[in-house]
Amino acid sequence: MWTPRSWWSVLRDAEQSDPWSVQESDLDIEPGAVASVLGLANGFVGVRGVLDELDPDDEPATLVAPVFEEHEQTYAEGGYAYPEVEERMVPVVDAWRLGWSVDGVPVDVRRGTVHEHRRVLDVRHGVLDRELRWTAPSGATVSLTSRRLVSLVRREVVATWWQVRAEDDVTVTVRPAPGCAHAGDGPAPDTQSAPGPQAPGLVTTWCRHDAQGSSVRQRAARSGRAVAVETAHLVECSDGVAATWDDAPRAAALTARLRAGDRVRVLVLAAYAGGEDTAALPARAHEALAVAGRAGWDELQREQRGFLAEVWERGDVVVEGDDEMQQAVRHALFSVVQAAARVDGVGIRAKGMTGTGYHGHAFWDSECFVLPVLDQVLPTAAADHLRWRHQKLPYARDRAAELGLPGASFPWRTISGRESSGYWPAGTAAYHVNADVACAAARHAAVTGDETFERDVAVELVVETARLWAGRGHHTDEGFRIDGVTGPDEYTAVVDDNTYTNLMARSNLRFADALCERHPCEAARLGVTADERAAWVRAATRMVVPYNERLGVTEQSRDFTRHAPWHFEPRSTARFPLDDHVPYVELYRHQVVKQADLVLALHTASDAFSPEQKLRDFDYYEPMTVRDSSLSAPAQAVVAAEVGYVDLAYDYARECALLDLCDLRASTDGGLHVASLAGAWTALVAGLGGLRHGDEGVLHLAPRLPGRLRRLAFTVRHGDARVTVDVRGQVVTYRLAAGDEALLTHHGEKLLLTAAAPEERRHVPPGVARPAPAQPPGRAPLFAAP
């Protein structure tokens, strides 16, 4: 069984430790966490890292982003504007898969004798390799080698190369798509003609297998979302080996009789097209397959290597002094890229197409945690995700109108763009998602300098969400208040003046005014008036930020610091996650924090707080933050580093990077935690590196090394400029990697960096002298540095 740390201990103790790969050296036949860790994806299609052989009880391992089913929401007591439908992503046919048999017995590690078995995920080149040496019950031994690739360049394409080498005389049989639910050629029975409502689920409506390839059509019974798959089989054999196809209607198979030393190789190219336009899908899949076939296997691999070479040039983080972390942070960044590379029209999902956890939904995680990394490493993917949000504005406007509000209200969780959360206190009430989307769009435009994106996408996103805030809040003698909302901390729901929400809304309102100033034609098209802009500015200027003068700390929400403290001493109150053991009504009335909320505001609205205030606030909230969400550690890492708790920051960075490799939360079987993995990069670059983007194109950097590390090196961009930062002990070297010049600061000291020469600084201010605050009992950072 999979247990936390077992995966990583196997990797760590391996004789050959490669910082660019993740190796499974112990055979694990359960399709759990290891299937997520070894998964391949591109944001549109994903293939979990399952074994090639199929267990009849296993569900398919392939996910296609637009393919989901609709399930009725059930409520003990319903209410107005409750979503009626929940969307759930459904696995589709593994058309890339082959079923191999030796002397009539399926190749299967659960039977016969396994002599050698090894799988390696190569994150530098984006492939999953497998080697198996196996003896069938007949006594014949074969070696099976495979390489799986999900193209990061061609969003529909999955390619798998297989080879079987015989060590004895054997008969090898290969069956395409062995898990296809409808085994016969031609159309499946008409499931739509049955009377009454259709049961939710995926139905195979067409299936064909022959020597040329396979064609499969599937459709979700209720949502109507469909997938069309086309495959091609290319077969090569050793000289003298005859391979013949049996195109029996229900049992298409390739048979080859091999002598000892003979080989048979099969390349399967598969193209997946999914969406609403079911009539157009087969042609799209056929075209994608034809283009991939003309390119060929070698070209697909070259494309993959070239794509990732650019990613690693822009985004690799070098960590010296901690081999475990070096390996983990590269796997983390690779996983983020896999979640986002081809998301045009579908958006980034919380599990990144590596599992059906959270039912395949997209959340605010993408804008707040993933996009800041993509802005640096893969900006086209960040833009594609934000264009997807822009495409869903009609749904968001309808939802705002349903809630009685102006502008647009984006869903808490969704696939199609409609709200899919049935729990409104931590769903609809979490209005901050709207500012998260808007500020992400404005930030992307600022970091990349993409004026076309700013005009065509960002302006409308920030204007419609600014309108929401203007209608959602109200003015009092105290200022502009936003009441009845839920912030990032889901243990404190439906509160007044959540600081994170208010400060993000303030940024949203200011961005709207500034972008309308820069793009008056777009503002006019959207009907923005001078009075409306003045109202935005007034609301932003008067935004309330609750503060406890007696304690000298910023309140997470109005009167939060006056709630009863949570007592962790009794065992019954220190069992985690708390919401599995304590009713929400108790959590809501106490000072206990599920995930960074006020501390997240210290990072995302950094300019709103002085350094001294940040330190006081971090010290206050750290002992009550239980991190029952994987979204907490990234923000805690960044702020801990900024206030001077550098070693604690590094411990949180390790937790982010190792979360899935070690299955620290025993939930990786549902897919990778993409936001936390992105947080590993952010913890190192924005945390230990101190990266902040200032006004007028200035890069602010304040690097510090924790005691564990000898070196930290990374690359950052702003506009056309790219700067490499190399920290070795007390020496920091800045080099201009691209662009004419870069304006930056080193711990507040202004520098003008040019291509003429690097800039070196030999002074790194120390962290704070006092010890870091303690976490709640039992909630110290997971997998902290030894």
Side-chain angles (χ1 to χ4, degrees), residues 516-578:
C516 287
E517 181 72 21
R518 286 204 292 273
H519 300 278
C521 292
E522 286 302 302
R525 181 182 68 82
L526 295 170
V528 178
T529 66
D531 287 346
E532 186 173 28
R533 288 178 57 189
W536 295 342
V537 172
R538 180 169 181 259
T541 303
R542 302 189 73 241
M543 188 68 69
V544 168
V545 178
Y547 190 79
N548 187 312
E549 295 286 354
R550 181 178 62 83
L551 296 175
V553 299
T554 311
E555 294 202 280
Q556 181 171 292
S557 56
R558 182 176 293 271
D559 291 334
F560 178 83
T561 58
R562 292 169 174 80
H563 289 183
W566 186 266
H567 296 292
F568 291 98
E569 291 77 9
R571 286 191 60 187
S572 61
T573 61
R575 298 163 64 193
F576 305 101
L578 286 177

Side-chain angles (χ1 to χ4, degrees), residues 230-407:
E230 296 287 331
T231 76
H233 311 140
L234 288 78
V235 181
E236 295 180 356
C237 299
S238 299
D239 292 341
V241 174
T244 58
W245 277 96
D246 177 3
D247 286 342
R250 289 185 174 274
L254 173 72
T255 300
R257 291 175 173 81
L258 307 181
R259 295 181 178 179
D262 286 343
R263 293 175 172 83
V264 59
R265 299 185 182 94
V266 182
L267 171 64
V268 179
L269 297 178
Y272 288 81
E276 295 179 277
D277 189 359
T278 57
L281 296 180
R284 282 166 43 193
H286 186 272
E287 176 62 19
L289 178 66
V291 173
R294 288 193 293 270
W297 172 243
D298 290 342
E299 178 61 21
L300 291 176
Q301 291 189 97
R302 280 193 292 270
E303 289 176 351
Q304 193 87 334
R305 289 194 296 267
F307 183 94
L308 285 169
E310 293 185 11
V311 166
W312 295 119
E313 181 182 7
R314 293 190 296 262
D316 187 31
V317 179
V318 177
V319 178
E320 291 187 2
D322 189 345
D323 294 342
E324 193 172 52
M325 182 62 167
Q326 180 67 86
Q327 204 166 27
V329 74
R330 283 178 175 151
H331 176 265
L333 182 58
F334 174 70
S335 300
V336 171
V337 169
Q338 286 200 124
R342 290 290 173 259
V343 294
D344 44 309
V346 295
I348 299 169
R349 310 299 173 80
K351 294 293 186 177
M353 307 304 292
T354 61
T356 55
Y358 300 131
H359 298 313
H361 292 165
F363 292 77
W364 70 294
D365 311 13
S366 301
E367 285 81 13
C368 192
F369 298 92
V370 181
L371 263 57
V373 179
L374 294 176
D375 286 341
Q376 296 288 328
V377 176
L378 196 60
T380 55
D384 284 340
H385 175 83
L386 291 164
R387 287 192 180 94
W388 169 73
R389 288 290 196 186
H390 186 257
Q391 292 165 9
K392 302 305 178 183
L393 268 171
Y395 285 129
R397 290 191 182 101
D398 289 346
R399 181 62 170 166
E402 185 179 34
L403 298 172
L405 295 168

Side-chain angles (χ1 to χ4, degrees), residues 46 95 151 153 187 267 284 290 459 518 529 560 591 612 633 724 743 770:
S151 177
V153 176
L267 171 64
R284 282 166 43 193
V459 172
R518 286 204 292 273
T529 66
F560 178 83
Q591 290 189 66
E612 297 77 15
T724 63
L743 296 171
R770 66 173 182 263

Side-chain angles (χ1 to χ4, degrees), residues 458-468 508 512 516 526 528 536:
V459 172
E460 193 165 14
L461 286 174
V462 299
V463 164
E464 293 295 0
T465 47
R467 286 169 168 165
L468 175 84
N508 190 163
C516 287
L526 295 170
V528 178
W536 295 342

